[in-house]
Amino acid sequence: MNIFNRIIMILLLLFLIISSIVIAVNIFADLFSWSDIFDRILSFIDGTNPYIVLGIFIAITSIGIVILVFEFYRRRIKTTNVVSSKEGRATITLRSASQMIAENLGDIDHINNIKVRVIPKSGGTIINIVAMLTKGINVSKKTQEVIKEVNAFATEDLGLKVVRTNFTVTGFNPKSEYATVDELEEEEEDRIKEIPKEPENIGTLEDKND
């Protein structure tokens, strides 16, 4: 029961307690007549605009329904099953699993603005990833790297049974001005490959005359 419901219930209980005390005292003291009270209520209703009276009763009814809904409705925590043994069964919340996967992907270069959503299914778990990549990298290799890393982390560290992993690239960020050592080595290798090689076994004019 939340705070709002508690306040309403306390007020209702106070009203019932006070009403019970007044009714019990009135039985012996004869302080008022019930017919007079009902006459006053009916006179108030008859002398008031019917639309106002209808609005008051609709408001009271709506508040009562809302209180009942919040009282009996309990927000269900969304979880997914973790691979468990015969000794017991374990679950992990979808929010926690998504957050941990996103944090793990943050260690991979050239990927940012990561959003992960874990969807539980009867046969396992589906992982949807949305992120941006750095402009100029090999998209195919990077997506394969991300999916492989996610599957390994979700299976080995979180204990999830991954059915499928989907990776969606939403855009590309400009390439960083600072390159890593591996990137510099790759660029140097590519530059060397592009330099034309000189023909081999070409002798001088004197060698040919000989």
Side-chain angles (χ1 to χ4, degrees), residues 37-47:
I37 294 177
F38 290 130
D39 289 339
R40 291 179 182 179
I41 294 174
L42 293 175
S43 298
F44 171 77
I45 294 175
D46 292 337

Side-chain angles (χ1 to χ4, degrees), residues 203-210:
T204 60
L205 181 60
E206 295 179 358
D207 294 336
K208 291 181 178 181
N209 291 335
D210 294 339

Side-chain angles (χ1 to χ4, degrees), residues 74-162:
R74 292 290 183 268
R75 186 175 181 181
R76 184 180 176 184
I77 299 176
K78 297 180 179 180
T79 60
T80 184
N81 292 330
V82 176
V83 177
S84 54
S85 60
K86 297 180 180 179
E87 288 76 13
R89 177 174 171 268
T91 60
I92 184 172
T93 62
L94 301 182
R95 179 178 296 181
S96 299
S98 301
Q99 183 178 357
M100 293 181 68
I101 294 173
E103 291 177 355
N104 181 68
L105 288 177
D107 298 332
I108 301 179
D109 296 330
H110 305 299
I111 178 172
N112 47 38
N113 295 336
I114 305 167
K115 296 180 181 179
V116 179
R117 184 183 179 190
V118 178
I119 303 174
K121 296 293 182 180
S122 57
T125 304
I126 296 177
I127 302 175
N128 292 330
I129 307 166
V130 177
M132 296 183 69
L133 300 179
T134 301
K135 187 177 181 180
I137 68 170
N138 190 312
V139 177
S140 178
K141 291 183 179 179
K142 181 58 63 176
T143 53
Q144 292 177 7
E145 177 186 355
V146 170
I147 293 174
K148 183 178 179 181
E149 177 66 23
V150 168
N151 289 339
F153 178 78
T155 303
E156 298 173 5
D157 291 35
L158 299 182
L160 301 179
K161 183 180 179 181
V162 181

Side-chain angles (χ1 to χ4, degrees), residues 192-203:
I192 293 174
K193 291 178 181 179
E194 293 176 356
I195 298 176
K197 296 182 180 180
E198 296 182 357
E200 297 180 356
N201 300 327
I202 298 179

Side-chain angles (χ1 to χ4, degrees), residues 23-90:
I23 293 171
V25 172
N26 185 65
I27 293 174
F28 298 97
D30 197 15
L31 299 174
F32 56 87
S33 175
W34 290 107
S35 60
D36 293 338
I37 294 177
F38 290 130
D39 289 339
R40 291 179 182 179
I41 294 174
L42 293 175
S43 298
F44 171 77
I45 294 175
D46 292 337
T48 307
N49 191 315
Y51 293 102
I52 296 177
V53 177
L54 178 62
I56 293 173
F57 281 105
I58 290 176
I60 295 174
T61 305
S62 301
I63 293 173
I65 293 173
V66 170
I67 293 173
L68 288 175
V69 168
F70 280 103
E71 178 62 26
F72 291 100
Y73 174 76
R74 292 290 183 268
R75 186 175 181 181
R76 184 180 176 184
I77 299 176
K78 297 180 179 180
T79 60
T80 184
N81 292 330
V82 176
V83 177
S84 54
S85 60
K86 297 180 180 179
E87 288 76 13
R89 177 174 171 268

